[in-house]
Amino acid sequence: QFVESDDDEELLFNVPFTGNVKLKSVMVLGGEGGTHPAELRLFKNVPHMSFDDAAGEPEQTFALSRDLTGELEYPTKIARFSNVYHLSMHFPKNFGAETTKIFYIGLKGEWTEARRHEVTICSYEASANPADHRLEQITPQTHFIS
C-alpha cells in the first residue's frame, strides 16, 4: 500500500502528536523510478497546514536520495525539533514523474506527555472596594496605659 499524489508531484502530510516529541530523524521509503520524492520540507507546530502555508520557510529541508529498502535515515536539527506537538511534511518535488508515491514514513524520537494547562478564568481586584466588604458594626477600642 502507498500514498500517491493526485494531479502533480506535491504531497503534504499533517501529523498531530498526543504529546510532545523530540524528533531526531526521518526515514522515507518512496516509489520506484521517478515517483520517489526528491525533497522533504519539515514544519513544526502548524496545525491544519495547507499547500498555501507550505510556501513559507520550513524548519528544515532535506534533499532525498532514492531509497527502496528504507535504509537511509535523515537526522534533524534536534534543537529545532525538541518540542513538537504537530509535524507537517511537505514533499514539493520528485525525480521527474507526474505523481509521487510514498510507501513508508518513519519518525524516530522521544515522546513525553504534554502538560497543557487550560485557561483559568479569574477576577482580580486592583484595589479593595469597601462597599463590597460589609462587616458588622465594629467599635474602635483604644487602650491607654497610665
Side-chain angles (χ1 to χ4, degrees):
Q1 294 185 3
F2 57 88
V3 174
E4 187 174 9
S5 60
D6 291 350
D7 298 329
D8 58 1
E9 55 193 4
E10 278 189 283
L11 276 173
L12 178 66
F13 292 91
N14 284 303
V15 183
F17 297 115
T18 58
N20 293 325
V21 173
K22 180 190 289 187
L23 186 64
K24 295 183 177 180
S25 64
V26 178
M27 295 172 28
V28 177
L29 180 63
E32 294 180 357
T35 62
H36 193 288
E39 185 179 334
L40 168 60
R41 304 173 76 224
L42 293 180
F43 298 85
K44 75 171 192 174
N45 302 337
V46 185
H48 312 294
M49 187 171 188
S50 67
F51 284 105
D52 294 333
D53 299 328
E57 188 65 28
E59 296 292 325
Q60 190 169 357
T61 302
F62 298 98
L64 303 178
S65 299
R66 292 182 178 151
D67 183 18
L68 302 177
T69 58
E71 295 175 357
L72 295 177
E73 195 171 313
Y74 300 95
T76 62
K77 296 176 183 173
I78 297 176
R80 288 188 178 187
F81 293 97
S82 63
N83 193 18
V84 181
Y85 60 85
H86 189 277
L87 182 69
S88 298
M89 305 173 76
H90 179 231
F91 297 92
K93 59 184 178 179
N94 59 21
F95 286 100
E98 290 184 19
T99 61
T100 301
K101 286 185 183 179
I102 296 179
F103 288 88
Y104 175 79
I105 296 175
L107 303 173
K108 190 181 282 188
E110 297 174 10
W111 180 88
T112 57
E113 185 177 354
R115 291 182 175 88
R116 293 190 178 107
H117 178 66
E118 298 296 325
V119 176
T120 306
I121 299 173
C122 299
S123 298
Y124 296 98
E125 291 184 32
S127 62
N129 183 357
D132 292 340
H133 305 282
R134 302 226 180 255
L135 299 174
E136 296 293 324
Q137 183 65 16
I138 298 178
T139 55
Q141 296 180 359
T142 17
H143 300 284
F144 293 104
I145 300 176
S146 23

